[in-house]
Each structure stands twice: as C-alpha cells, then as structure tokens.
C-alpha cells in the first residue's frame, strides 16, 4: 500500500513538472488553435487552417492553381459555403475598391484577417469560392465553440523610480506587449525595456527595442500608448518579467511579472508594430514598404503620413513648431482647389495646461476666431462631435509628432466631409498659435505657415512618398548652457533629499561625472557646494529612503573624501582607500553600517525632463514637485574636526555619483566671505547712486 502511494506521488510530481513548468510554452511550431485542413473539390486546394486570435486565421501550406476566374477567400455563417458570404481581403494591403482575385499559390503561409470587426465566432466556414460561377473550390468548417487564443491583460508596471507607471499591460501575442498610458521621466542614463528570468529583474536580462524598433536609451513618456516586441526568437513563454532597467547602475525602475499560464496568440506577424520609418521617413535601417505614404504640406515645417485601416484613416502629422502652437490638417472647403473656408480639419497640439497631447475636429465657417457659432470652431463647440481619436504624441528636437485616427465617413454631414478613396481630393494645412481657450488662432499668411498651393492627396494610394527628407534631419544647433554651481554657506541645518540631475545642464555638466538620473538636493538645490567651518557642528536632515528592499529608493547619506561615493557597494580594498567622516558606523567586526537613512522624499518631474529647454535652475525647479513617503527623516550631526581636509564630499552610501563637494574652511572664514560680499554690494549701490546723481545734474543744469 505504501509502495502504491509512493508511485502515485512520483507520478503526480512528474505530471506537475511536465505540464506546469516544462510545458509552459505550447509545442513548437505554434500556429494557434487547430481548425482543420481544406477539403479539395477543384483547382488543387490544400492547406491547414488555424485560429490565431478572435479575428485572424492562419493557413499553413496553402496551394491553389490560380485558374479560377473570380475566386476569393470567402467566409459566412450559413450551414455550408454559399453566395451568402463575404470576402476576406487578401492580400490585406491592396489598391482599388475591391481586393484582387486570388492568384496561384504553392505551399504558401497566409494570414487572413476578418474584415469589418467580424470574429471567428461569427462564421461557420472558410472557402475558396468563385463568385462568377458560385462554385466552392475547397472548404474547411469552424468547430462550434472553438476556444481561440486571446491577448492576456497583466497588471501595470510596479512603480519604483523615475515616475514610471502605466495602465494595465497586455500581451497581444507571443512576442508583443501593449503598454498604455506609459509615464517615465526619461532621466535614467542607461535605461531600457528589459526582460529575463527569476523572481525579480536582474542583470542577466535582455534588452528589448522600444516602440520604434530602436535600442537607444529610453526617452521620456507622458501618457503614451506603445507596443514593443521581443527580439530574435524570444517569446513571452521564455521570460518571467518585463522591466524598465538601468544597465549601468543595475537598478529596476519598475516591472511586471509574466504569469506561467499564458494562452496568447502566436506571433505570426498578425500583430503589426509601427516601424521606425513611419516616425522617421528617411531612416535607412528598415526598408520602407510600398504601402506607406508621406507628403510635404509646408516646406520644411509640416509633413503628413497616412494609412487606410478598414473604415478609418490613420494620420501622422510632423510639425517643426514651438510647443505653444498647433498644426492643422484636413479636407479643403472647395472642390478642385485648396480653400480654408468650409474646410474640415483636425487641429493637433500639446496642451501645456493639461500636460497632454490633444486632437480636435474643427469646421471652418469663416476665417475668424470661433465665437461659439461661427469662425474656426471645434465641432463640439458648435453642436457637433469630435471624431478625431488620439493615438500617439511626441516632441523632440523641435519637432512635434501627433498621430490620430478618423473614420472615412463620420455621419456628420454639416461639419465633416467623407474622405473619398476613388479619387484625389484637395487638402489644407496650417501652423499657428493657440489662444487662451487652447483653440486654433489665426496663422500668418506669409506662405510659411499654411498651404499656398493646391495640394491633392489620394488617400487610397500605396506609394505616395514625396517627402524628400525628415523634419528630424534638421539638426538642433542650440548650445545647452550648464547651470552655475550653487553654494550653501553659513547654514548649520541642511536638508538632503533626492531629485533629478538636470540633464545636460545639471549634474554631469557641473561635476564632469556620469549620472544615473538622480542626485542629492541640499536645501532643495541641485548638488550645491557646501561651505563648512572646522569646529562647527552641522545637522543634516536626511530624506533619501530607508527601505533596503527597494534599491532605487534607498540612499543613505554619508560624508567621505571620495568624489564618487557608493561606499557600500565597494570591495574591502576600495573601501580602505576612502576616509569616512560621517554617516557610517563600524561594528566591532569592522563591518560598516550606514546610519543616515530616513524616509524617502524626491523632487519629481511633473511631466518629463525639460532641463534642455530651461536656462535657469530656478525655472527648472518649477517643473518639479516634491513627493514624500510616510515616515520620519534621519538626523545626522557632524562636527567638523580640525584635521578634516579642505575638500570632502557628501555622497550616497549605496550608489555612485549622487553628491558633490564640501569645502572645509577655518573658523570665521564664512563670516568673512559674507562680510566681503556685503561690503562689495554696499559699494556697488553707492557707486550706482553716485552715477545716477551725476547724470541727473548734467541733464538738468
């Protein structure tokens, strides 16, 4: 009996191992849920059909001799294939109003996407059907109640550092993640999307390209919806987490765990990632497909890219303009020429008050500011509806890019025009200022802020690419001027908190050292030089984090002679080369322990890092907000001994390069410095008054 029980236990454990961990991924090759093989009646029809997701079929090894006069992939809900069906367009990207007849194939793998929002549950069969002679060349039936693979919704990113957050993340297929409402301040110096194995993100991970397919360091995001795709042969079944990870400093800014019971669609190419050339039409890293379009609307200032997707058109506008301007694009108010009056346009801009990109549907009844009834008016303000749907927004190197969707036919006959697919149509565009209502104001009429020629677009075209260069190619020649170093002197109480480094104007420019995105703020100043006197006692109120389980928020404060810091991560040999003056206690066995680790307070970006656009630290600080976790600060009292060298540094115990200089002076020196400054200021005031008096006497005598 015991022997039988032991055998059962072993079999159970073996089953768990095989079905739980080793069988986590579906068997390869994985094409989705098996439906069946074509039954052939004529013309050599062959192929095996799989359900990829709710609206996509995959035909493996499709064969057809191509001699049918009017044959298509055909689906329907009748008991058997019949004229009461409809076409699945193949190829999906085609020119004209109707897809071409089916051509010959020999062992071709084909992806079929059901049209017009149809789902596999809505159909009962797939056929190769000849419309002219109502003949079924081959068929396969959909099993009832077929359980198809579906995208999986995961939690949001865990919020650990640099303002990283998102809405719930979706696994669209075995290689593709959809990350909505992504926020990240962009201040990490070596941060990437990062995947790997284990219970927590770690250094043994793999970089994942961003939404543009690029491995560049991550930029800032403010509420954007993006898709990213795992590189190479990697799938979601091979990983345990997705993170935003700083490689240089080995820190996790936030992550989401990948469950082991996924049943997501296979990655066969049905989930389309917007490639890099769509954002930058001149990139040469990826060959540009013939189905994409780009047109210059205003020379050197405004470009449009477009793509028909079902019953909608997706528009990408690129404008070289300032942040307080809008860009507008739409259909002309007159046939055969470009006219603003009666035009139907979408106005796209960044709303600085709401800190988000916006797209608004407009109707132009008059060339005047909207009064609520007439003028250049948002549809919603004059009784209509905003039919423009925002997708994506970005601003870098002086170029604003906003992507949106609009239906070809909106059912608003007064305010909106239908976008035709059977002919060219005149379009209009402009760049101009926003008024106080965040509505489009009058643009200039010099020709460099609106369309002056009769520009036409065929929205059904597949290869209209007249953009000769990208707006991003115009290099930003602006020289970024570093902020001056601040000083704190004659102060005996100093607060120490965490904050951003200030990009090219801040930490690196001041210190010459690389940064990892955060730095110490003393008395709410970015890494000021601290002037202290020997023999004086200084009290530091430390709010750099005390939770050792959150490395990105654990920054004990200490003072040493190292311009790099990071005592706790150094080897014993390197520790022996540092002299510590405060903030570290050594146990009886010589083991160091930090003593100044209080609650966590951080100056955070309200949106994204704007340091490159702001010339003074005082103005930059207005773009930050202070966030403090519950708890108490730590108190560090430091009496400066008489043998302290002239130069020491305040640093972070657990990380390199967060702090800067402490200049140590003899007693009374700071008072003398302040007295000299006061005398100089007094002399300057007296001199100014004297010069003014002399000028006054000369003018009126």
């Amino acid at each position: 009996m015991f022997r039988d029980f032991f055998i059962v236990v072993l079999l159970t454990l073996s089953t768990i191992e095989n079905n739980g961990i080793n069988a986590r991924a579906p068997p390869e090759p994985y094409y989705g849920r098996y439906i069946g093989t074509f039954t052939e009646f004529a013309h050599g029809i062959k192929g095996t059909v799989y359900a990829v997701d709710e609206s996509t079929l995959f035909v493996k090894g499709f064969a057809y001799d191509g001699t049918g006069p009017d044959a298509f992939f055909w689906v329907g809900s009748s008991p058997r294939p019949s004229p009461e069906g409809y076409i699945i367009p193949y190829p999906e990207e085609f020119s004209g109003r109707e897809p071409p007849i089916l051509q010959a194939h020999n062992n071709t793998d084909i992806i079929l996407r059901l049209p017009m929002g149809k789902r596999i549950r809505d159909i009962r069969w797939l056929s190769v059907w000849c419309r002219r002679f109502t003949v079924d060349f081959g068929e396969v039936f959909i099993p009832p109640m077929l359980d198809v693979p579906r995208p999986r919704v995961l939690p949001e990113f865990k919020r650990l550092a640099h303002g990283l957050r998102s809405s719930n993340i979706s696994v669209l297929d075995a290689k593709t993640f959809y990350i909505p409402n992504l926020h990240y301040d962009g201040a990490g110096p070596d941060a990437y999307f990062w995947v790997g194995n284990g219970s927590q993100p770690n250094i043994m991970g793999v970089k994942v390209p961003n939404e543009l397919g690029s491995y560049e360091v991550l930029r800032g995001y403010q509420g954007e919806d993006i898709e990213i795709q795992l590189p190479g042969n990697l799938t979601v079944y091979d990983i345990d987490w997705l993170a935003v990870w700083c490689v240089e400093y080995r820190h996790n800014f936030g992550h989401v765990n990948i469950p082991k019971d996924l049943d997501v669609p296979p990655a066969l190419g049905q989930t389309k990632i917007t490639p890099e050339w769509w954002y930058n039409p001149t990139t040469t890293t990826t060959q540009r497909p013939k189905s994409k379009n780009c047109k210059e609307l205003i020379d050197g200032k405004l470009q449009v890219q477009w793509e028909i997707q079902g019953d909608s058109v997706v528009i990408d506008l690129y404008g070289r303009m300032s942040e307080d301007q809008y860009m507008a694009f739409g259909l002309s108010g007159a046939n055969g020429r470009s006219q603003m009056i009666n035009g139907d346009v979408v106005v796209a801009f960044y709303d600085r008050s709401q800190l988000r990109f916006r797209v608004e549907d407009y109707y132009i009844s008059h060339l005047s500011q909207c009064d609520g009834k007439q003028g250049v008016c948002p549809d919603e303000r004059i009784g209509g509806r905003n039919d423009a749907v925002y997708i994506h927004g970005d601003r870098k190197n002086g170029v604003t890019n906003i992507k949106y969707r609009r239906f070809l036919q909106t059912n608003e006959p007064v305010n909106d025009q239908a976008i035709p697919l059977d002919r060219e149509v005149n379009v209009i565009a402009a760049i101009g200022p926003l008024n106080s209502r965040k509505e489009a104001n009058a643009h200039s009429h010099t020709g460099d802020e609106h369309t002056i020629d009769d520009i036409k677009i065929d929205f059904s075209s597949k290869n209209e690419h007249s953009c000769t260069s990208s707006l991003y190619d115009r290099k930003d020649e602006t020289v970024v001027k570093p902020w001056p170093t601040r000083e704190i002197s004659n102060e005996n109480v100093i607060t120490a908190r965490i904050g951003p480094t200030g990009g090219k104007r801040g930490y690196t420019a001041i210190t010459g050292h690389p940064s990892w995105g955060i730095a110490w703020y003393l008395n709410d100043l970015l890494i000021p030089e601290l002037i202290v006197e020997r023999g004086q006692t200084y009290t530091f109120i430390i709010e750099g984090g005390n939770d050792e389980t959150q490395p990105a928020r654990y920054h004990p404060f200490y003072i040493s002679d190292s311009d790099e810091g990071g005592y706790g991560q150094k080897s014993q040999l390197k520790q022996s080369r540092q002299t510590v003056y405060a903030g570290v206690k050594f146990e009886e066995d010589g083991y160091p322990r930090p003593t100044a680790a209080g609650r966590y307070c951080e100056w955070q970006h309200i949106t994204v890092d704007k340091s490159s656009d702001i010339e003074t630290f005082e103005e930059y600080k207005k773009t930050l907000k202070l966030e403090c976790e519950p708890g108490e600060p730590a108190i560090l009292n430091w009496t400066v001994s008489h043998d302290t060298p002239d130069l020491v540094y305040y640093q972070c115990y657990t990380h390199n390069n967060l702090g800067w200089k402490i200049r140590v002076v003899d007693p009374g020196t700071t008072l003398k410095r302040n007295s000299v400054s006061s005398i100089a200021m007094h002399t300057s005031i007296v001199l100014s008054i004297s010069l003014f008096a002399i000028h006054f006497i000369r003018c009126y005598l």
Side-chain angles (χ1 to χ4, degrees), residues 99-395:
I101 62 172
L102 196 57
Q103 302 299 306
H105 290 271
N106 182 18
N107 197 35
T108 305
D109 293 341
I110 289 176
I111 293 176
L112 298 175
R113 201 182 307 271
L114 299 181
M116 301 169 60
K118 297 292 185 181
R119 298 289 184 266
I120 290 176
R121 64 174 179 265
D122 300 324
I123 63 174
R124 299 178 67 177
W125 42 261
L126 167 67
S127 167
V128 177
W129 179 267
C130 180
R131 291 188 306 181
R132 183 179 303 177
F133 296 103
T134 62
V135 175
D136 181 11
F137 295 163
E139 65 186 20
V140 62
F141 288 90
I142 312 297
M145 307 299 291
L146 180 69
D147 183 23
V148 302
R150 290 177 174 83
R152 178 71 172 267
V153 179
L154 309 180
E156 63 180 52
F157 272 126
K158 191 172 184 179
R159 307 179 183 190
L160 298 181
H162 288 291
L164 180 69
R165 67 182 191 275
S166 68
S167 297
N168 289 350
I169 297 170
S170 295
V171 183
L172 299 184
D173 64 32
K175 294 181 74 67
T176 309
F177 290 92
Y178 171 65
I179 308 174
N181 194 31
L182 176 62
H183 290 260
Y184 165 59
D185 66 15
D190 197 28
Y192 306 89
F193 294 116
W194 190 256
V195 295
N197 298 113
S199 59
Q200 294 286 331
N202 55 69
I203 61 173
M204 303 301 292
V206 175
K207 286 182 184 178
V208 178
N210 64 18
E211 74 277 12
L212 307 183
S214 169
Y215 285 94
E216 293 181 358
V217 174
L218 289 183
R219 62 179 176 85
Y221 296 88
Q222 48 181 19
E224 298 173 34
D225 301 342
I226 68 168
E227 293 177 15
I228 59 174
Q229 198 165 75
L230 298 176
N233 296 322
L234 201 62
T235 73
V236 294
Y237 298 104
D238 303 319
I239 62 176
D240 293 318
W241 40 259
L242 165 68
V244 174
W245 174 268
C246 184
V247 174
E248 182 178 355
Y249 290 94
R250 302 183 178 185
H251 276 286
N252 175 25
F253 296 165
H255 68 280
V256 61
N257 291 320
I258 312 298
K260 297 182 182 299
D261 59 346
L262 293 173
D263 182 20
V264 296
L268 303 176
Q270 80 282 354
T271 304
K272 294 185 177 180
I273 296 292
T274 304
E276 185 175 1
W277 53 261
W278 179 248
Y279 296 86
N280 185 351
T282 62
T283 182
T284 57
T285 58
T286 307
Q287 183 179 0
R288 185 184 304 118
K290 296 181 179 180
S291 61
K292 301 300 178 181
N293 310 275
C294 182
K295 200 173 191 71
E296 193 100 357
L297 299 172
I298 302 174
D299 187 33
K301 283 197 171 183
L302 187 60
Q303 292 177 350
V304 62
Q305 298 177 2
W306 70 93
E307 180 185 24
I308 299 297
Q309 292 185 359
D311 55 0
S312 301
V313 59
V314 174
I315 300 291
D316 244 324
L317 292 179
Y318 292 80
R320 180 163 285 280
M321 62 190 201
S322 64
E323 198 177 71
D324 58 354
Q325 289 184 304
Y326 68 85
M327 50 186 171
F329 169 73
L331 302 182
S332 168
N335 292 325
R337 58 191 176 90
S338 296
Q339 174 181 294
M340 292 287 179
I341 293 180
N342 297 325
D344 172 18
V345 301
V346 170
V347 172
F349 60 96
Y350 179 68
D351 188 334
R352 291 197 292 184
S353 62
Q354 298 184 17
L355 303 176
R356 66 184 180 98
F357 292 95
R358 290 171 55 185
V359 290
E360 301 288 344
D361 199 1
Y362 272 63
Y363 174 68
I364 305 174
S365 61
H366 294 83
L367 297 181
S368 60
Q369 195 171 113
C370 182
D371 61 5
K373 297 180 180 179
Q374 296 180 333
V376 182
C377 293
D379 285 8
E380 288 183 328
R381 198 172 171 202
I382 53 176
R385 183 180 63 237
N386 182 19
D387 292 296
V389 180
Y390 167 79
I391 298 176
H392 167 85
D394 181 36
R395 179 170 173 81

Side-chain angles (χ1 to χ4, degrees), residues 555-620:
H555 310 292
F557 185 94
Y558 82 112
I559 296 170
S560 84
D561 60 356
S562 170
D563 65 348
E564 183 180 66
Y567 190 87
Q569 61 173 265
K570 299 291 191 293
S571 66
Q572 286 188 348
L573 177 61
K574 290 186 177 181
Q575 286 181 349
S576 68
R577 295 172 181 169
Q578 278 194 43
T579 301
V580 175
Y581 297 95
V584 178
K585 179 180 180 180
F586 292 89
E587 306 290 354
E588 291 183 0
D589 58 1
Y591 185 81
R593 179 174 60 84
T595 61
R599 68 170 183 171
Y600 188 73
C601 286
E602 181 182 3
W603 286 100
Q604 298 178 354
H605 297 288
I606 296 174
T607 56
V608 297
D609 191 346
K610 298 180 178 293
S611 57
S612 60
D613 301 323
I614 299 176
E615 294 188 359
T616 68
F617 173 76
E618 288 73 20
E619 288 299 314
Y620 175 70

